């Protein structure tokens, strides 16, 4: 399996190791789509012939399932080609979201086919007809299982290589086809040797499985269009790279905007010492932005947040409060802390970041934090701004020191 996959990649994908290059990514997508079209049409023809000769609705249903997979590959091919188009005046962020729209079209096609197959299968259950057993049909189903097993491995390998949710979903669909075709094969053998008619029931089962897959595909394609949260691994990688630069004290307010596979843009706040030279800080920020663009092909816009490091009292309070809010909930973090002394009390001003859907309301959260701060020092008064995070909090938690 691996040898055939690598052979196809070497033949049809130039510079295959540079998987982040949009042209290379499109070549991988085109290869996967053409392989899907060829294999699924071949399987559809074989199963349709076997189903027609035997009069089996379940084999015919499996053939139509392969036809829908071939149609999906055609739509994916169109999506990859349109998505690879460069940015223009009307679409300055490119056209990569065409891949998501292609996936949505495929999902709708799958649902329509599933409904039609279910209607035919129910008719076969209500009005059963004899099925002619054929070893040729069984051989076709067995060959289909082997081909679909390879296609699952093939698409998963390519999907992981270019980080394509579309190809990984296709791999899962091929794996599911292995299960459904195996069920049809087993049902045919049972019907023949045990004289139990299962054809209509198995056709209905395959149809329901197609419908279930279609609903899952719709969710997978709509989520990024609605604004799916960025991959936690990407969030962690951005965080770790920024923190690897000497002088960086912390990061927060990361936003990742997804304009299609391979077309992401990010903005983030980076905390640097307020006492440092402003030109040096600006140069450091430029270096980080260029690093992301060159090595990750990720345009990143960085906002400079100055942090007072010469005031020991502020530093101690920042470290203590970063840990204190986590006693309320481990997902909480703080940033932009300042302390403004007054005649009777000191204002402790900071932002507290919560995850989306945080159960505790802003007023309750502010009261809980203020209570912890008063227990530390009755002269402290909190001025808190509660924010919602647009990205998963890194596993290392609060990094501001």
């Amino acid at each position: 399996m691996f040898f055939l996959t690598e052979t196809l990649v070497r033949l049809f994908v130039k510079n295959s190791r540079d998987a982040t290059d949009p042209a290379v990514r499109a070549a991988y997508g085109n290869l996967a789509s053409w392989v899907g079209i060829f294999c699924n049409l071949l399987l559809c023809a074989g199963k349709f012939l076997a189903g027609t000769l035997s009069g089996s609705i379940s084999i015919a249903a499996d053939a139509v399932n392969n036809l829908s997979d071939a149609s999906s590959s055609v739509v994916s091919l169109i999506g990859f080609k349109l998505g690879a188009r460069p940015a223009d005046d009307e679409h300055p962020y490119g056209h990569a979201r065409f891949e998501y729209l292609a996936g949505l079209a495929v999902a709708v096609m799958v649902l329509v086919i599933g409904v039609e197959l279910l209607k035919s299968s129910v008719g076969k259950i209500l009005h059963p007809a004899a099925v002619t057993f054929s070893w040729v049909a069984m051989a076709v189903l067995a060959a289909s299982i082997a081909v679909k097993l390879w296609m699952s491995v093939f698409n998963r390998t390519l999907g992981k290589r270019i980080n394509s949710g579309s190809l990984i979903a296709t791999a899962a669909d091929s794996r599911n086809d292995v299960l459904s075709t195996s069920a049809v094969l087993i049902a045919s053998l049972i019907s023949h040797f045990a004289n139990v008619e299962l054809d209509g029931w198995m056709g209905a089962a395959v149809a329901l499985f197609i419908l279930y897959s279609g609903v899952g595909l719709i969710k997978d394609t709509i989520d990024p269009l609605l604004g799916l949260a960025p991959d936690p691994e990407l969030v962690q990688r951005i965080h770790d790279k920024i923190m690897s630069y000497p002088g960086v004290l912390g990061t927060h307010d990361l936003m990742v905007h997804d304009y299609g596979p391979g077309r992401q843009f990010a903005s983030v706040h980076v905390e640097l010492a307020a006492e440092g030279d402003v030109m040096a800080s600006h140069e450091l920020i430029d270096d980080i932005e260029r690093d992301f663009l060159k090595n990750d092909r990720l345009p990143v816009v960085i906002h400079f947040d100055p942090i007072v490091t010469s005031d020991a009292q502020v530093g101690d309070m920042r470290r203590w409060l970063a840990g204190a809010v986590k006693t309320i909930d481990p997902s909480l973090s703080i940033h932009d802390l300042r302390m403004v002394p007054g005649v009777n009390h000191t204002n402790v001003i900071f932002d507290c970041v919560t995850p989306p859907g945080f159960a505790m309301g802003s007023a309750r959260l502010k009261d809980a934090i203020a209570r912890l701060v008063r227990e530390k020092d009755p002269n402290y008064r909190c001025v808190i701004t509660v924010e919602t995070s647009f990205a998963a909090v890194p596993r290392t938690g609060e990094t501001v020191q």
Side-chain angles (χ1 to χ4, degrees):
M1 289 185 181
F2 178 78
F3 174 76
L4 181 56
T5 298
E6 291 304 314
T7 299
L8 290 172
V9 169
R10 284 197 300 271
L11 288 174
F12 296 102
V13 181
K14 295 181 179 180
N15 303 318
S16 59
R17 294 185 180 276
D18 189 9
T20 58
D21 186 332
V24 174
R25 192 178 188 284
Y28 270 110
N30 292 338
L31 171 61
S33 298
W34 280 115
V35 168
I37 292 170
F38 175 78
C39 291
N40 282 304
L41 285 179
L42 188 64
L43 293 176
C44 176
K47 290 179 184 177
F48 182 78
L49 180 61
T52 301
L53 293 176
S54 64
S56 170
I57 188 66
S58 60
I59 296 179
D62 214 25
V64 177
N65 186 26
N66 286 132
L67 182 60
S68 74
D69 290 342
S71 302
S72 300
S73 294
V74 171
V75 176
S76 295
L77 179 63
I78 296 172
F80 273 109
K81 285 188 175 297
L82 293 177
R85 292 167 56 189
D88 54 34
D89 291 341
E90 293 183 346
H91 307 94
Y93 297 104
H95 301 79
R97 280 183 176 171
F98 267 118
E99 186 175 334
Y100 297 149
L101 295 175
L104 185 58
V106 168
V108 173
M109 291 168 57
V110 169
L111 287 177
V112 172
I113 290 172
V115 170
E116 291 301 317
L117 287 177
L118 184 59
K119 288 165 60 178
S120 300
S121 299
V122 170
K124 189 67 178 287
I125 293 172
L126 296 177
H127 308 286
V131 176
T132 303
F133 181 80
S134 169
W135 284 111
V136 173
M138 298 303 98
V140 169
L141 293 178
S144 173
I145 292 170
V147 172
K148 278 293 185 176
L149 187 60
W150 173 76
M151 290 179 66
S152 178
V153 175
F154 172 75
N155 283 292
R156 186 185 304 111
T157 301
L158 267 58
K160 288 184 176 180
R161 195 166 296 179
I162 65 173
N163 191 28
S164 170
S166 176
L167 292 186
I168 291 174
T170 301
D173 185 49
S174 296
R175 178 203 61 204
N176 294 339
D177 287 344
V178 171
L179 299 177
S180 63
T181 303
S182 298
V184 172
L185 176 61
I186 293 171
S188 299
L189 293 172
I190 292 175
S191 296
H192 176 66
F193 290 106
N195 198 27
V196 178
E197 184 54 58
L198 297 176
D199 186 56
W201 293 101
M202 190 53 64
V206 172
L208 290 173
F209 182 78
I210 292 173
L211 290 171
Y212 175 79
S213 299
V215 172
L217 285 173
I218 285 181
K219 181 182 184 302
D220 290 341
T221 53
I222 286 181
D223 278 349
L225 291 173
L226 292 178
L228 186 67
D231 184 349
E233 290 185 5
L234 174 63
V235 174
Q236 189 68 50
R237 189 163 68 248
I238 293 173
H239 170 269
D240 291 346
K241 174 170 283 193
I242 293 174
M243 293 303 300
S244 70
Y245 277 82
V248 174
L249 303 175
T251 73
H252 60 89
D253 286 350
L254 171 65
M255 296 184 185
V256 179
H257 305 277
D258 187 349
Y259 288 91
R263 293 293 296 170
Q264 293 176 313
F265 300 82
S267 63
V268 65
H269 290 211
V270 172
E271 298 170 344
L272 301 169
E275 298 82 4
D277 179 78
V278 65
M279 295 304 294
S281 297
H282 183 269
E283 185 177 274
L284 175 61
I285 287 174
D286 281 347
D287 288 343
I288 299 174
E289 290 176 341
R290 279 192 289 267
D291 185 353
F292 276 109
L293 189 60
K294 178 181 178 181
N295 298 307
D296 300 278
R297 286 192 171 91
L298 179 66
V300 177
V301 176
I302 296 178
H303 172 80
F304 167 35
D305 265 354
I307 299 296
V308 176
T309 60
S310 58
D311 190 325
Q313 183 185 20
V314 173
D316 290 343
M317 186 61 188
R318 184 182 299 113
R319 283 186 288 271
W320 175 84
L321 188 56
V325 295
K326 293 187 180 301
T327 64
I328 300 173
D329 191 286
S331 64
L332 298 176
S333 62
I334 62 104
H335 62 82
D336 287 350
L337 185 141
R338 294 176 290 124
M339 297 182 69
V340 181
V343 176
N344 298 314
H345 62 267
T346 296
N347 284 333
V348 182
I349 307 168
F350 60 93
D351 295 346
C352 181
V353 182
T354 66
F358 188 61
M360 185 182 294
S362 295
R364 287 181 55 206
L365 177 60
K366 290 179 181 180
D367 289 342
I369 297 174
R371 188 161 50 250
L372 290 174
V373 172
R374 283 196 303 272
E375 290 174 359
K376 177 177 176 60
D377 191 321
N379 293 319
Y380 287 165
R381 298 289 186 274
C382 289
V383 181
I384 308 170
T385 299
V386 177
E387 299 178 344
T388 300
S389 173
F390 292 96
V393 178
R395 62 175 179 271
T396 51
E398 176 64 42
T399 57
V400 178
Q401 300 296 325

